[in-house]
Amino acid sequence: MSQIISTDADPRLAHMLEGHDCPAILVDADYRILAANDVYRDSFGDIPADSGAHCYQVSHGYSVPCDQAGESCPLAEARESGRKERVLHVHLTATGRQHVDVEMLPIHDDRGQLLYFVELLKPVHIASAELSTQQMVGRSPAFNALVNQLNLVARHDTSVLLLGESGTGKELAAQAIHCASQRGDQPLVTVECAGLSETLFESELFGHTKGAFTGASQNKPGLLEAAHRGTLFLDEIGDVPLGMQVKLLRLLETGSYRAVGSTQLRSAEFRLICATHKDLQGMVQRGEFRRDLYYRINAFPIHLPSLRERRDDLPLLARSILGKLAGEQRFHLTDSAIRRLNRESFPGNIRELRNILERAIIYADSNVIDARIIERCFAVPVPAPADDAAPQRDGAAEWTDLKTREQHYLRDLLRHCGGDKQRAAAVAGISLRSLYRKLGADNADE
């Protein structure tokens, strides 16, 4: 039975709210909540009768409508357009803040006069607006826009391309899409494209038969087989060798493939998500990435904001990461520590923030992490390069090949980062696997 909150509510419309299987309220043009269904009361709690409560007060704690508080207001937009409008908001609940997909449906009388609005509130579970050690977290406008796009595309089988700087959480975004999709009960299989030669990539993805190449001592199924009916996540697709891109395009176009060394045609049924920190459009222009493959994977591009674009989320992110790193220990991150973190540009984004907080736990003498400890985490010593490590500038050494010069640069960068390989890779704009490959196993362990 719907709860009638105001005597101004039409009882028939109030009872119709029970026809919705999600939280629903009846609102008038002045933002007053008139009635609520049982699902709403179970999710958000009771609203006192005849309280004159407004939707912006109950949902957000605002004293003015959302569009006057810096957010979009679906009621104002529906009143203007006369049609259904939707928006993703962060709502107050009994358990804290929660991302909610809001739909506002205007109700008119026979003469077209606007009477009421039905507001449908569908909680979004792919991200958290509170502390969480398991999910993406945030409340900033940039993060909410991201969650909205992830939530929209998750219910479709459309191919998704996740774009953004290294360390922005593309793998977490892929997991969120998969878990919210109709394939959520099937496997999510990740293929790390960085650092793989064409032969290794083909074998990893398609599998191989015994004797297909030297060292292939037995049949090995590929990751495509493991992803059947689930989701295939190609991380750092910009690193896929050019020769392999043709075979990948054929797979996506036909849904069929052959294991290395086999003539048997196999079928693959999966949802595709790709990710890269590289400029694929620029790579297409330079002939480094196939144009036809680019348009095949770019059906629904999503930009993941850098940490610099979502500064408001830094306190929530930092405390969530700290909770995950500390386990059963309890660390308190002071406001001064947050202010010190906010002064950094974080080229390595969330991954770099995690490294700083991991150092902070090590340096902390107690369970309190303040600005002094955070400062120490950033104060990485930069030793002078050894004579044999510095690239020479005169004589024949001036014509050192490009690969050697790259190794000199990466070794210097690694020393500058105090041996922190994750941060060095982030600053260089490459994956950790690529850093190891470019330096070689021996150099990477320096």
Side-chain angles (χ1 to χ4, degrees):
M1 178 72 71
S2 293
Q3 177 193 13
I4 296 179
I5 299 165
S6 171
T7 54
D8 292 336
D10 184 328
R12 294 171 300 173
L13 291 176
H15 293 318
M16 285 175 59
L17 295 178
E18 292 301 325
H20 298 283
D21 57 3
C22 64
I25 56 176
L26 184 67
V27 186
D28 68 12
D30 293 322
Y31 305 93
R32 290 186 306 147
I33 301 177
L34 308 179
N37 68 356
D38 282 344
V39 185
Y40 178 92
R41 295 158 65 193
D42 291 341
S43 301
F44 300 103
D46 288 330
I47 301 172
D50 295 320
S51 60
H54 295 84
C55 56
Y56 52 80
Q57 293 172 323
V58 173
S59 296
H60 307 288
Y62 295 154
S63 58
V64 293
C66 298
D67 55 344
Q68 297 177 37
E71 293 195 62
S72 57
C73 176
L75 189 149
E77 292 174 2
R79 183 166 51 196
E80 180 71 22
S81 67
R83 300 187 303 272
K84 178 179 74 173
E85 299 288 348
R86 63 170 299 278
V87 70
L88 188 135
H89 274 177
V90 175
H91 277 219
L92 299 174
T93 73
T95 57
R97 295 177 176 88
Q98 184 175 21
H99 293 99
V100 177
D101 188 352
V102 181
E103 288 188 5
M104 193 69 73
L105 307 149
I107 298 176
H108 302 84
D109 62 17
D110 294 339
R111 296 171 296 176
Q113 184 72 27
L114 180 62
L115 296 177
Y116 304 104
F117 297 90
V118 172
E119 182 174 338
L120 305 179
L121 303 98
K122 302 173 183 177
V124 175
H125 302 292
I126 62 175
S128 175
E130 297 287 353
L131 293 177
S132 174
T133 59
Q134 304 297 324
Q135 294 178 291
M136 304 171 67
V137 296
R139 304 172 192 157
S140 67
F143 183 77
N144 288 346
L146 168 64
V147 173
N148 184 43
Q149 286 191 293
L150 298 177
N151 188 53
L152 280 174
V153 78
R155 66 195 74 168
H156 303 279
D157 247 4
T158 305
S159 297
V160 177
L161 178 60
L162 301 174
L163 303 165
E165 297 177 11
S166 179
T168 49
K170 293 186 281 292
E171 187 166 0
L172 272 180
Q175 292 172 359
I177 294 172
H178 171 73
C179 291
S181 73
Q182 58 186 357
R183 299 175 183 266
D185 58 346
Q186 299 296 323
L188 167 67
V189 177
T190 299
V191 180
E192 298 281 358
C193 302
L196 291 177
S197 66
E198 182 175 340
T199 301
L200 283 175
F201 185 87
E202 186 174 10
S203 173
E204 186 90 349
L205 187 61
F206 296 155
H208 62 255
T209 60
K210 181 179 179 180
F213 50 82
T214 303
S217 57
Q218 59 185 6
N219 292 341
K220 178 189 173 185
L223 294 176
L224 261 180
E225 188 173 329
H228 188 63
R229 299 187 186 279
T231 301
L232 181 69
F233 176 44
L234 299 181
D235 196 13
E236 295 302 344
I237 193 171
D239 289 342
V240 173
L242 196 59
M244 186 62 201
Q245 292 176 22
V246 180
K247 298 174 183 177
L248 182 57
L249 178 64
R250 186 179 303 120
L251 165 70
L252 300 179
E253 294 288 357
T254 66
S256 60
Y257 68 100
R258 290 184 178 88
V260 179
S262 173
T263 59
Q264 180 183 357
L265 197 64
R266 304 182 183 185
S267 61
E269 201 276 303
F270 58 90
R271 198 258 180 86
L272 178 69
I273 302 176
C274 300
T276 184
H277 72 280
K278 293 186 175 181
D279 175 16
L280 288 188
Q281 284 186 315
M283 293 178 67
V284 169
Q285 295 298 325
R286 295 190 299 271
E288 299 170 0
F289 198 87
R290 292 184 62 94
R291 186 180 301 273
D292 44 10
L293 178 59
Y294 170 71
Y295 286 117
R296 182 63 182 78
I297 65 175
N298 194 36
F300 197 87
I302 298 178
H303 168 73
L304 274 77
S306 67
L307 196 49
R308 298 180 301 282
E309 296 174 87
R310 44 181 300 208
R311 287 282 184 183
D312 292 347
D313 289 334
L314 195 144
L316 184 61
L317 269 170
R319 291 185 170 108
S320 293
I321 293 171
L322 195 60
K324 186 172 185 177
L325 291 173
E328 294 182 358
Q329 291 180 278
R330 298 286 183 180
F331 282 90
H332 173 66
L333 198 63
T334 67
D335 290 341
S336 68
I338 293 294
R339 288 194 296 272
R340 177 61 187 89
L341 288 170
N342 253 318
R343 285 162 44 194
E344 294 297 317
S345 60
F346 288 106
N349 292 292
I350 300 170
R351 188 179 293 129
E352 184 179 2
L353 175 61
R354 177 191 172 93
N355 291 343
I356 293 298
L357 294 172
E358 194 161 11
R359 289 179 206 152
I361 291 175
I362 296 171
Y363 285 135
D365 296 323
S366 67
N367 68 336
V368 176
I369 297 176
D370 57 16
R372 177 185 57 84
I373 293 174
I374 296 296
E375 186 68 48
R376 188 178 180 187
C377 296
F378 282 112
V380 178
V382 185
D387 292 339
D388 59 348
Q392 300 178 33
R393 302 301 180 193
D394 57 351
E398 184 176 353
W399 302 102
T400 301
D401 63 274
L402 184 60
K403 182 177 180 180
T404 302
R405 285 179 176 271
E406 182 182 54
Q407 287 187 338
H408 283 316
Y409 162 75
L410 291 175
R411 285 201 296 269
D412 288 345
L413 178 61
L414 193 57
R415 278 191 291 273
H416 174 75
C417 294
D420 187 334
K421 301 177 186 65
Q422 287 277 14
R423 189 177 187 189
V427 172
I430 59 178
S431 67
L432 183 60
R433 178 181 289 183
S434 293
L435 178 69
Y436 275 99
R437 176 172 54 81
K438 290 176 183 292
L439 286 176
D442 295 336
N443 289 327
D445 290 334
E446 291 182 354

